[in-house]
């Protein structure tokens, strides 16, 4: 009854099933490991953020370039404040407002973007407190350059003069004459009545939409594996039933064509 499994057609079906199931299980397991890795990174980033508030600030140059290990770490830098910009459309405590971003010109010849604080409402240069004069030493959390469109960072263009959508060297290079660090910091304590901006987690470490997409893809691949098994058993059952019906003589014979008879109606 099961001799049909040795036919070329069923050899092809069986080979496809034997390849498809391990592939689906492998892809599902890989997506699950991606999700678990993001969960682990999120927990590690949270624990590191809590410990970073207690650790001694390190010189800026020692913590560059910014990566998952250095993002959020406390750093210190000295210099003179220069050009000031506003970063509109930023949320804090479920309120819309803007960052006050000031460039710190360091002794290295490069300028470090420093977020001195956040103010609610529409971005207005008249409301932004002027930076301190003279040499200053700042301490804050190190952050990687932002990418427009990610993590709530605005991607709009055509902003008024003195404003930028993203805090990144690529965006600021056209707005300021200074050479820039490919990083920025947010102060531990905001200046002049502004609210301090908390450090954000490094890219790829938060439980964001991408993390839950990995979890969704995990389920899809395992469902595909189950569907392949289900369809194989369904095809097998249909083939067995057809073979059993043929053995019992229950297979309907092909209908012979109805003979065409000539019209023999007499013509008067």
């Amino acid at each position: 009854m099961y001799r049909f499994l040795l036919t070329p057609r069923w050899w092809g079906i069986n080979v496809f099933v034997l390849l498809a199931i391990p592939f689906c299980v492998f892809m599902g397991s890989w997506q699950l490991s991606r999700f678990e890795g993001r969960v682990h990174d999120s927990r590690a980033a949270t624990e590191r953020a809590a410990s970073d508030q207690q650790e001694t600030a390190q010189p800026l140059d020692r913590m560059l370039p910014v990566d998952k290990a250095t993002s959020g770490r406390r750093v210190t830098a000295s210099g003179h404040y220069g050009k000031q910009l506003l970063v509109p459309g930023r949320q804090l405590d479920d309120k819309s407002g803007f960052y006050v971003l000031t460039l710190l010109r360091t002794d290295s010849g490069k300028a470090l973007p420093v977020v001195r604080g956040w103010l609610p409402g529409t971005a207005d240069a008249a409301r932004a407190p002027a930076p301190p004069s003279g040499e200053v030493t700042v301490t804050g959390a190190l952050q990687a350059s932002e990418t427009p469109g990610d993590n709530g960072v605005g991607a709009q263009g055509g902003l008024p003069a003195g404003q930028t959508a993203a805090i990144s060297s690529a965006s600021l290079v056209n707005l300021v004459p200074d050479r820039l660090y490919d990083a920025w910091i947010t102060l531990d304590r905001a200046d002049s009545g502004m609210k301090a901006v908390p450090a954000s987690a490094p890219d790829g470490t938060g439980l964001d939409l991408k993390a839950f997409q990995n979890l969704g893809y995990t389920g899809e691949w395992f469902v595909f594996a189950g569907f392949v098994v289900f369809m194989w058993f369904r095809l097998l059952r249909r083939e067995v039933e057809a073979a059993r019906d043929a053995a019992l003589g229950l297979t309907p014979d092909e209908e012979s064509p109805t003979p065409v008879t000539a019209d023999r109606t007499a013509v008067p």
Side-chain angles (χ1 to χ4, degrees), residues 4 34 41 57 64 70 90 92 97 106 119 160 183 200-201 211 234 250 257:
F4 60 85
R34 292 287 302 275
D41 289 344
L64 297 176
T70 60
R90 297 306 177 101
L92 187 62
T106 66
L119 290 171
S200 59
R234 184 175 180 181
L250 300 178

Side-chain angles (χ1 to χ4, degrees), residues 40-127:
H40 178 270
D41 289 344
S42 178
R43 290 175 180 173
T46 302
E47 294 172 357
R48 186 170 62 248
S51 63
D52 288 345
Q53 297 299 321
Q54 308 299 327
E55 73 172 359
T56 302
Q58 300 294 322
L60 173 66
D61 291 334
R62 291 185 185 177
M63 307 301 288
L64 297 176
V66 186
D67 54 23
K68 288 184 179 181
T70 60
S71 180
R73 300 286 296 275
R74 296 179 72 241
V75 297
T76 182
S78 299
H80 296 78
Y81 277 126
K83 186 175 180 62
Q84 183 160 282
L85 301 167
L86 306 181
V87 188
R90 297 306 177 101
Q91 301 289 324
L92 187 62
D93 298 333
D94 296 326
K95 296 180 181 179
S96 180
F98 61 96
Y99 293 167
V100 177
L101 176 72
T102 312
L103 298 182
L104 181 72
R105 292 169 178 165
T106 66
D107 294 337
S108 68
K110 292 184 178 181
L112 174 68
V114 178
V115 173
R116 297 172 47 234
W118 174 90
L119 290 171
T122 304
D124 184 358
R127 296 176 53 206

Side-chain angles (χ1 to χ4, degrees), residues 147-173:
T147 301
D150 289 345
N151 299 326
V153 179
Q156 71 271 25
L159 292 174
Q163 296 186 20
T164 179
I167 309 174
S168 70
S169 57
S171 298
L172 297 175
V173 69

Side-chain angles (χ1 to χ4, degrees), residues 158-198:
L159 292 174
Q163 296 186 20
T164 179
I167 309 174
S168 70
S169 57
S171 298
L172 297 175
V173 69
N174 298 318
L175 303 177
V176 298
D178 307 275
R179 291 191 302 122
L180 299 167
Y181 282 102
D182 189 17
W184 58 282
I185 69 169
T186 174
L187 295 182
D188 292 342
R189 296 181 180 179
D191 290 341
S192 305
M194 297 183 289
K195 286 189 176 182
V197 176

Side-chain angles (χ1 to χ4, degrees), residues 253-266:
D253 297 331
E254 295 184 359
E255 295 183 359
S256 57
T258 303
V260 179
T261 57
D263 186 1
R264 299 182 181 277
T265 305

